[in-house]
Amino acid sequence: LSEEEVSQMAATHNDSVTLVADSLPGITAMPAEPTSTIRKPQIQARFYIPPLYDKNVFDSATTVKYFSLAQASQGELKLLVNSKLLTQEIASVIKNHTTDNTDIMILMDKTMSMEDDIDNVKAGMSKVIAAMKEYDNVRLAVSLYADRNYNGNNWFSFKNFENDLDGAIGYIQAIQLISNLDIPESVYDAFFKAMDQGFWKEENRHVIILIGDAPPQEIPLSNYTISDVIREATKSSINMT
């Protein structure tokens, strides 16, 4: 989890337990002399300290795959329990991985399970754009994906905004969620379809911000593997985060 989310959770669950050990039987105090001793009783207590969050909210397959993509491409993985922090973390990622002359592609799951996440991206997209404007010549594209096996031609969309960063706000606001028949999504296929759009400038820094909550489809429901994605990201000098 991000430091901000851990901090907020800790503040919310800031409980304490005080054990007062006076007036307990079995304490014998001798006169105050150099050789005096105080025998204290043995007290056994059991405390249950609940975790800050239920780790089961994160699908292990999704976490492992996304972590592998980030690690192999020198990016970073962000896990969020609270979707309200999403745009703040996207802005943090931009700060950590952007310089002048950076091409940024947001690659985002647009299925129904992402409703609260996308609502918060819509609400906070201006914060994301503001983070990009801290740098010169930042180019932006947005790719949205679902499942190519079940969603027909609507499974993927792409828009290149070049340097018109504010133009992306309206595009994000207009996102229409679609349903899927199973949990995994076409993450790998979306990556390669996005790569075919001719967005990247060779001389610029390349960053993909992958936002999703479902594991990737695997062969035979995908045309690609995670190794294919890592190989192409490495070849094209893309940081995936």
Side-chain angles (χ1 to χ4, degrees):
L1 300 184
S2 68
E3 292 182 4
E4 175 67 20
E5 185 159 30
V6 171
S7 177
Q8 288 195 14
M9 286 185 170
T12 302
H13 299 84
N14 187 17
D15 298 325
S16 61
V17 175
T18 302
L19 180 63
V20 180
D22 64 346
S23 303
L24 290 176
I27 298 181
T28 302
M30 304 298 291
E33 298 176 357
T35 58
S36 296
T37 60
I38 297 179
R39 295 204 310 269
K40 297 182 179 180
Q42 291 185 347
I43 301 173
Q44 292 184 345
R46 293 183 179 179
F47 298 95
Y48 171 70
I49 302 176
L52 290 178
Y53 66 96
D54 180 4
K55 292 184 178 180
N56 291 324
V57 301
F58 296 115
D59 176 74
S60 59
T62 306
T63 303
V64 168
K65 296 294 186 180
Y66 281 35
F67 176 76
S68 298
L69 290 172
Q71 185 181 47
S73 65
Q74 298 181 334
E76 60 179 313
L77 175 68
K78 297 276 191 175
L79 299 177
L80 289 176
V81 176
N82 185 357
S83 62
K84 292 181 179 179
L85 296 176
L86 182 54
T87 51
Q88 179 176 318
E89 290 304 319
I90 296 174
S92 174
V93 165
I94 291 169
K95 180 179 179 180
N96 292 341
H97 295 275
T98 302
T99 62
D100 293 343
N101 306 309
T102 296
D103 296 342
I104 299 175
M105 182 186 294
I106 295 175
L107 182 60
M108 184 163 61
D109 182 342
K110 63 174 180 176
T111 57
M112 295 298 296
S113 64
M114 289 285 291
E115 183 175 11
D116 58 339
D117 303 289
I118 290 179
D119 282 347
N120 283 289
V121 172
K122 290 179 178 181
M125 192 61 189
S126 58
K127 181 184 296 185
V128 173
I129 298 303
M132 295 181 188
K133 288 182 177 179
E134 294 292 320
Y135 306 92
D136 293 330
N137 191 32
V138 170
R139 300 171 63 247
L140 175 64
V142 177
S143 299
L144 305 173
Y145 67 89
D147 193 324
R148 70 178 185 87
N149 302 285
Y150 307 113
N151 296 123
N153 293 332
N154 196 33
W155 83 272
F156 179 86
S157 60
F158 174 88
K159 179 72 173 178
N160 179 4
F161 296 94
E162 288 292 335
N163 300 115
D164 179 22
L165 303 180
D166 289 324
I169 296 177
Y171 184 79
I172 293 293
Q173 293 292 336
I175 291 176
Q176 297 292 317
L177 301 177
I178 59 178
S179 59
N180 187 13
L181 296 181
D182 61 2
I183 294 175
E185 308 296 353
S186 297
V187 180
Y188 304 152
D189 299 84
F191 169 85
F192 276 95
K193 194 165 182 66
M195 293 295 292
D196 288 340
Q197 305 303 312
F199 171 63
W200 308 112
K201 286 190 175 180
E202 184 176 354
E203 66 273 17
N204 287 358
R205 182 179 178 88
H206 304 155
V207 175
I208 288 181
I209 301 175
L210 175 61
I211 306 170
D213 65 352
Q217 289 282 21
E218 304 288 350
I219 290 175
L221 295 180
S222 173
N223 289 328
Y224 305 96
T225 67
I226 190 170
S227 297
D228 296 328
V229 175
I230 291 172
R231 188 179 305 110
E232 182 62 29
T234 301
K235 175 183 174 182
S236 300
S237 301
I238 295 173
N239 296 123
M240 296 190 68
T241 188

